[in-house]
Amino acid sequence: SQQGEEDPQALSIQEGENATMNCSYKTSINNLQWYRQNSGRGLVHLILIRSNEREKHSGRLRVTLDTSKKSSSLLITASRAADTASYFCATDRSPRLTFGEGTQLTVNP
Amino acid sequence: DTAVSQTPKYLVTQMGNDKSIKCEQNLGHDTMYWYKQDSKKFLKIMFSYNNKELIINETVPNRFSPKSPDKAHLNLHINSLELGDSAVYFCASSQEASEQFFGPGTRLTVL
């Protein structure tokens, strides 16, 4: 079955630096979504990019999608300690959303 | 004002017991989901209901039985609990092919 794979599994940076996370998948999709999960909490939706879009911005987040390479990246600019969380990509082939294994981001103050 | 709520938040029980987790959403969404997140944070879909009809039923032991009394509620009943059922269970809801809203999770520990 289709499953997103994320890279890296863990990322540790200093406050103010940019963080880039990558996601690869195997089959065609309707859209791709990114979620954040703080420790001990539920997932929170960050951004959705449709299969016919190449780039999308939301505040300090920038997502790209390359359907020919079946990959996406999430860039968080000017990171803050509060960005420390696990980040998951999820590929949508409705009604099914399939999550990747996640990237644990740690932003050190 | 909680969009998706789950009860209980924590559940500790003995092997062999039967337990239920309840989920409610006040967003007016048509579709609800149950996910299981294991100790490595891998999130796997278990079930999905659209307007009270089952639309996703993954390879889950039949000890797990979802019930949707109405489109705002999706409960999960688990019979004969096993050690391997220990995990965090998340409920979520969505409207069509869009973002999903997750509940806070229920941490199930089977002793």
Side-chain angles (χ1 to χ4, degrees):
Chain A
S1 63
Q2 172 188 356
Q3 182 175 335
E5 295 181 3
E6 291 175 71
D7 166 49
Q9 286 190 328
L11 181 60
S12 181
I13 59 175
Q14 296 299 121
E15 239 181 352
E17 293 180 342
N18 295 343
T20 299
M21 290 160 263
N22 302 298
C23 169
S24 60
Y25 57 93
K26 295 176 182 169
T27 64
S28 62
I29 58 173
N30 299 323
N31 63 62
L32 187 142
Q33 303 178 33
W34 285 89
Y35 288 78
R36 183 188 74 227
Q37 184 180 30
N38 289 88
S39 181
R41 310 288 287 272
L43 280 75
V44 174
H45 181 264
L46 294 175
I47 196 163
L48 180 155
I49 186 165
R50 301 197 185 283
S51 59
N52 61 355
E53 296 176 309
R54 292 296 167 258
E55 188 170 312
K56 202 159 183 182
H57 297 253
S58 175
R60 293 183 298 113
L61 306 180
R62 173 179 164 249
V63 168
T64 61
L65 179 64
D66 186 335
T67 52
S68 65
K69 294 181 179 177
K70 293 187 168 56
S71 68
S72 174
S73 67
L74 170 68
L75 168 68
I76 304 175
T77 60
S79 64
R80 304 166 183 168
D83 294 329
T84 294
S86 293
Y87 291 81
F88 295 87
C89 70
T91 49
D92 188 340
R93 295 187 74 203
S94 292
R96 189 180 305 276
L97 199 62
T98 304
F99 285 83
E101 296 176 356
T103 294
Q104 173 61 47
L105 173 66
T106 302
V107 181
N108 302 299
Chain B
D1 282 61
T2 306
V4 181
S5 59
Q6 294 178 229
T7 54
K9 189 166 172 60
Y10 299 97
L11 191 49
V12 181
T13 188
Q14 299 287 331
M15 261 197 321
N17 283 350
D18 303 338
K19 290 293 177 187
S20 291
I21 308 171
K22 294 187 175 182
C23 178
E24 176 181 0
Q25 55 98 1
N26 63 4
L27 298 166
H29 289 163
D30 289 332
T31 308
M32 295 184 72
Y33 311 81
W34 277 112
Y35 289 89
K36 178 180 180 181
Q37 187 173 46
D38 63 23
S39 57
K40 294 184 179 178
K41 292 197 173 179
F42 181 56
L43 199 68
K44 185 172 166 54
I45 181 77
M46 299 174 69
F47 303 103
S48 177
Y49 272 74
N50 181 271
N51 272 319
K52 301 195 297 176
E53 286 194 33
L54 184 65
I55 58 171
I56 295 175
N57 186 358
E58 286 295 282
T59 309
V60 175
N62 57 16
R63 298 182 294 102
F64 290 78
S65 53
K67 278 194 172 58
S68 182
D70 56 62
K71 75 173 194 176
H73 295 85
L74 180 61
N75 304 322
L76 183 65
H77 188 76
I78 316 169
N79 288 328
S80 304
L81 278 156
E82 299 178 356
L83 293 177
D85 297 333
S86 295
V88 182
Y89 293 84
F90 286 100
C91 176
S93 73
S94 74
Q95 188 66 20
E96 298 177 350
S98 63
E99 64 183 286
Q100 292 188 13
F101 290 78
F102 281 76
T106 294
R107 182 174 293 275
L108 172 65
T109 303
V110 182
L111 304 174

